[in-house]
Amino acid sequence: MKPDSVKVTLKTFRFNAETDYLPYYKHYEMKVGKDELILDLLNRIKWEHDGSFSYRRSCRHGICGACGIKVNGRATLACKQNALELVELFGNELLIEPQSKKRVVKDMIIDKKDFWDKHAKVKPYVATDIDPHPEHETKQSIEEFNKFLDSDLCIQCGNCHYACPVVEVNENYLGPAAFNAAYRFTVDTRDEVGEERLKLTAQMESGVWDCVKCFECAEACPKEINPIEKITKLHNLQFEQGVAERNIATRHAEGFLRGMKKYGYLDEADIVSYSEGYLGMYKHLKTAAKMLRAGKIHWHSGIPFINSVPKIKNLNEVQKLIKISQTNKL
Amino acid sequence: MSQLHYALFTGCTAKQSTPELLSSTLAVAKKLGIKITILEEASCCGASHLQDFDEFLAHVLNARNICYAEKLGLTMITICNTCQLNSAMTKHALDTDPKLKARVNEKLAEVGLEYKGTSEIKHFLYCLIDEYGLDNIKNRIKVPLSQFNIAPFYGCHNIRPSELHNNANGKENPYNPTSLDKLIEALEGHPVDYAHKNKCCGFHVELQANHTSEVLAGNAMVDAIDNNADLMVTPCPLCHLKMDTYQDDVGHVIGRDVELPVLHMPQMVALALGCTEKEIGLNFHVQKATHLYSKTA
């Protein structure tokens, strides 16, 4: 039987941008009850141990998104997360940190300007010319509504955004929350600027093609929205609506079919040359030479790069399925 | 224990740029008495890129692969995290959406196939741990790896999204994964604890966002090296390719010398089981790794 309470050490990140040169960690020990949330523990630090400890909190009902932090590296909405569940996962020391250490203002409070700026960029609202004196309401079928229902549950907590490794290393990248919002309003039948959003999210360096597919955003979301699923849908919409430009990323996605039609397998050499273009291949010559020396590009089934990929059995099935199932083209 | 028998989905990489992954997998299975039937009909899973171009087509082709495991009545096993995820995502989509399943089966019927949903999909790593068992592996060790500090690098697609993998990965916690650590311990190696072990290697944007890719790989490798790793081990050949073949570029971008042998998970097990040098295939690595065999031989 699980105990009613457990002794826990909270190792908390502390930093005041106005007075501190470097961040530091402070430890607090407390007995944690089975019904306590992480937010309760933050409150107890502030109320019982150190009044200067700072964090954001508001609704306490998992709906305002204010109290997003990280516990042992895991994106957490403090008011939704049972504390002992995390003790079960990580043991009796919980590391309490802000969503992004490089954006800290004070302790758990970060400057979310980049998040809000990027969110605003995708026009996260229904954009349309409306009749100021409509004679009837705008109707949507259940099917149309369901297309964006789960993405509409986003509370802008920033958990997915600050869990995303690309956001950390590329300041131009819009991030999973902005992409989720772009998808939500693009597929809304009342909206009229979907193409603009798709073009915005199709841009290299900032758009969906820079997603590393690590699924950190899906894991981080407290509302189970699965932002990367929406990123995939945006990719598909770009092709469906003819917004996708011909570039390295789109050729890379579409180029898989070339090898699959010919061999059933991906042609690893061809996908690089097809994506980059022959002139772009020079970047990879050094790596290719190393791979050739190591046998990663091998001679056993023919001359490298020329029909040397093994073929799958029943290749004709794959060829036929591609022919009858393909719905998009570059 | 009755003999385990699996249908192996090799994926593209083990048939091309990482032949050592296939040879070491087959060698480990042979040593452990696990029967393997290679799915010679299986095609590419789309590697998480085809679905961006055409998600429906990706489901059709992945469902076709699963059909062949179903025909054999076997669990389909993978040796690539991305093959595992893409196959599992299709299985999940078809098993939970009857309309999509009907649409996909309409296409598959044209080539005489039907997706039923009867085969499980599991990565070889979790077959070894959950089904063969660490104690049974321990009993077959010929060469303990006690002289090595080994950094486990989990790769994203075996551990996230955790909800999708359900029981196929032993309920691995993506924030605190333990399977590779336990396997290393079972082989008497010393697992290296480092913060980046469950992070992204950046492989999937190697072409279109090269800087991002190099920084992500570099952060993980430097973290492992700074925690005294002699080698890194991964269950994903895409992580292996990124970490092994691009070490010079990674080092250049992050401003550090990076030298770290990166082994496929089955290669590590094969070393400990005393498989032959040829079966383990450490000579296929860009970053020198053959000395690891010499040390254990």
Side-chain angles (χ1 to χ4, degrees):
Chain A
M1 206 172 85
K2 286 179 186 172
D4 281 350
S5 68
V6 172
K7 200 173 175 189
V8 174
T9 302
L10 301 178
K11 187 181 172 190
T12 57
F13 178 93
R14 303 299 303 266
F15 180 71
N16 183 343
E18 287 186 357
T19 56
D20 296 333
Y21 182 62
L22 286 173
Y24 58 98
Y25 286 86
K26 266 184 118 168
H27 292 70
Y28 305 96
E29 285 191 356
M30 55 183 74
K31 257 192 162 181
V32 175
K34 64 179 171 57
D35 297 325
E36 285 194 281
L37 303 169
I38 292 294
L39 181 61
D40 295 320
L41 309 192
L42 302 184
N43 287 337
R44 283 171 60 190
I45 293 173
K46 188 171 185 70
W47 297 340
E48 297 167 16
H49 296 267
D50 183 349
S52 72
F53 181 60
S54 301
Y55 51 99
R56 287 195 178 103
R57 63 192 160 94
S58 185
C59 76
R60 209 185 192 284
H61 293 287
I63 201 66
C64 78
C67 62
I69 56 166
K70 281 184 179 165
V71 181
N72 291 50
R74 175 182 164 134
T76 302
L77 197 62
C79 73
K80 196 174 179 231
Q81 180 60 58
N82 178 280
L84 291 194
E85 274 177 18
L86 293 189
V87 171
E88 212 169 298
L89 279 182
F90 296 115
N92 289 50
E93 183 172 291
L94 297 182
L95 177 64
I96 309 286
E97 292 179 310
Q99 287 175 317
S100 168
K101 282 187 261 188
K102 71 180 181 188
R103 296 174 177 86
V104 172
V105 177
K106 190 161 185 262
D107 302 335
M108 298 300 117
I109 297 172
I110 66 163
D111 179 354
K112 282 175 75 174
K113 184 175 187 301
D114 69 308
F115 174 83
W116 293 116
D117 286 350
K118 289 169 180 176
H119 198 251
K121 259 192 185 173
V122 302
K123 297 195 173 176
Y125 43 82
V126 173
T128 183
D129 283 333
I130 54 162
D131 182 346
H133 304 291
E135 289 179 6
H136 54 80
E137 69 274 27
T138 305
K139 287 185 178 172
Q140 260 178 342
S141 68
I142 296 290
E143 204 175 47
E144 287 168 339
F145 171 71
N146 279 340
K147 269 191 176 178
F148 61 79
L149 174 61
D150 67 335
S151 50
D152 203 30
L153 300 176
C154 177
I155 55 174
Q156 291 95 39
C157 65
N159 270 1
C160 65
H161 187 78
Y162 296 113
C164 172
V166 188
V167 167
E168 279 302 284
V169 300
N170 171 5
E171 63 180 29
N172 297 318
Y173 187 62
L174 290 170
F179 294 140
N180 175 67
Y183 169 77
R184 183 257 173 265
F185 291 101
T186 295
V187 297
D188 191 319
T189 50
R190 300 165 298 177
D191 181 79
E192 289 171 357
V193 298
E195 191 178 330
E196 192 186 319
R197 284 195 206 91
L198 287 180
K199 280 182 179 166
L200 182 79
T201 58
Q203 286 175 12
M204 301 293 281
E205 283 196 32
S206 58
V208 286
W209 294 104
D210 279 45
C211 167
V212 291
K213 301 168 185 295
C214 67
F215 285 78
E216 289 270 16
C217 58
E219 208 61 45
C221 178
K223 308 303 277 188
E224 294 170 16
I225 288 170
N226 199 353
I228 191 170
E229 182 192 67
K230 312 304 180 286
I231 290 173
T232 301
K233 289 183 190 300
L234 285 172
H235 280 122
N236 278 211
L237 283 170
Q238 287 173 14
F239 288 110
E240 279 167 35
Q241 300 192 16
V243 170
E245 285 179 21
R246 205 172 168 75
N247 57 34
I248 292 179
T250 54
R251 282 198 300 266
H252 189 231
E254 179 259 356
F256 274 74
L257 286 178
R258 288 163 53 94
M260 289 172 85
K261 279 179 188 165
K262 213 167 166 184
Y263 310 108
Y265 293 121
L266 166 71
D267 182 342
E268 291 177 334
D270 179 72
I271 192 73
V272 179
S273 61
Y274 181 70
S275 307
E276 297 272 16
Y278 288 110
L279 284 176
M281 279 294 285
Y282 76 93
K283 287 185 286 185
H284 302 283
L285 289 179
K286 202 175 84 180
T287 307
K290 282 186 211 164
M291 291 175 76
L292 197 62
R293 263 201 309 276
K296 284 193 179 305
I297 297 169
H298 41 89
W299 297 82
H300 68 72
S301 49
I303 302 168
F305 310 119
I306 303 171
N307 290 328
S308 58
V309 179
K311 280 192 173 92
I312 63 162
K313 209 169 145 186
N314 300 355
L315 174 60
N316 60 322
E317 291 175 7
V318 168
Q319 290 165 334
K320 185 170 184 184
L321 287 172
I322 291 173
K323 202 171 177 184
I324 63 174
S325 309
Q326 185 175 338
T327 58
N328 286 329
K329 57 184 177 186
L330 182 58
Chain B
M1 184 169 67
S2 60
Q3 190 184 31
L4 295 170
H5 184 186
Y6 299 114
L8 173 64
F9 174 32
T10 63
C12 305
T13 311
K15 287 278 190 177
Q16 295 179 69
S17 56
T18 60
E20 72 279 8
L21 170 59
L22 187 55
S23 67
S24 57
T25 299
L26 296 176
V28 166
K30 194 175 159 192
K31 279 270 183 203
L32 298 180
I34 297 171
K35 195 175 171 193
I36 297 284
T37 302
I38 294 181
L39 291 172
E40 302 287 3
E41 301 88 350
S43 73
C44 171
C45 70
S48 86
H49 294 285
L50 176 63
Q51 75 205 42
D52 290 343
F53 174 63
D54 195 325
E55 194 175 22
F56 178 67
L57 176 60
H59 280 321
V60 171
L61 296 175
N62 277 308
R64 176 184 168 276
N65 293 339
I66 303 168
C67 284
Y68 278 100
E70 289 182 354
K71 273 186 164 189
L72 295 170
L74 298 174
T75 291
M76 181 168 107
I77 63 163
T78 62
I79 45 177
C80 167
N81 289 19
T82 298
C83 293
Q84 173 67 26
L85 177 66
N86 284 317
S87 307
M89 281 205 298
T90 288
K91 181 173 171 58
H92 177 76
L94 269 53
D95 291 350
T96 55
D97 184 344
K99 278 186 190 166
L100 177 65
K101 185 176 168 182
R103 275 178 68 210
V104 167
N105 270 331
E106 194 186 314
K107 302 295 180 191
L108 292 173
E110 295 286 321
V111 295
L113 295 170
E114 184 191 0
Y115 172 84
K116 297 188 179 77
T118 51
S119 277
E120 267 189 89
I121 301 165
K122 222 171 167 132
H123 191 288
F124 189 43
L125 169 66
Y126 298 102
C127 298
L128 291 180
I129 292 177
D130 300 338
E131 294 180 8
Y132 191 83
L134 291 174
D135 287 338
N136 289 326
I137 292 175
K138 273 184 200 172
N139 292 336
R140 290 176 182 259
I141 292 176
K142 292 272 176 3
V143 188
L145 304 182
S146 49
Q147 56 188 309
F148 299 122
N149 291 329
I150 305 173
F153 189 76
Y154 282 83
C156 301
H157 292 167
N158 263 3
I159 58 176
R160 288 183 290 265
S162 53
E163 197 183 5
L164 178 91
H165 296 296
N166 200 6
N167 292 322
N169 69 357
K171 293 197 171 177
E172 189 102 82
N173 169 12
Y175 294 97
N176 188 20
T178 56
S179 59
L180 272 177
D181 292 75
K182 285 179 191 161
L183 182 60
I184 292 165
E185 275 173 6
L187 303 175
E188 298 183 34
H190 307 290
V192 173
D193 192 20
Y194 66 116
H196 284 81
K197 70 181 181 182
N198 59 345
K199 300 298 179 194
C200 176
C201 74
F203 174 87
H204 288 286
V205 292
E206 168 59 38
L207 297 184
Q208 65 264 42
N210 183 258
H211 183 78
T212 296
S213 180
E214 309 292 46
V215 172
L216 296 184
N219 287 344
M221 301 196 83
V222 163
D223 194 7
I225 290 167
D226 288 349
N227 282 284
N228 299 319
D230 300 311
L231 64 133
M232 181 179 261
V233 67
T234 176
C236 179
L238 307 184
C239 296
H240 163 85
L241 281 174
K242 179 70 214 177
M243 305 290 212
D244 177 53
T245 56
Y246 290 95
Q247 286 196 15
D248 285 355
D249 300 331
V250 164
H252 181 69
V253 168
I254 62 167
R256 279 272 299 268
D257 284 338
V258 178
E259 273 186 37
L260 190 67
V262 183
L263 268 60
H264 302 281
M265 179 277 293
Q267 283 184 306
M268 174 181 71
V269 181
L271 262 179
L273 295 178
C275 295
T276 67
E277 194 170 2
K278 193 179 170 197
E279 287 169 329
I280 300 168
L282 292 169
N283 52 317
F284 283 100
H285 292 220
V286 168
Q287 179 60 44
K288 187 178 167 294
T290 45
H291 63 287
L292 301 172
Y293 182 79
S294 314
K295 275 190 177 181
T296 56

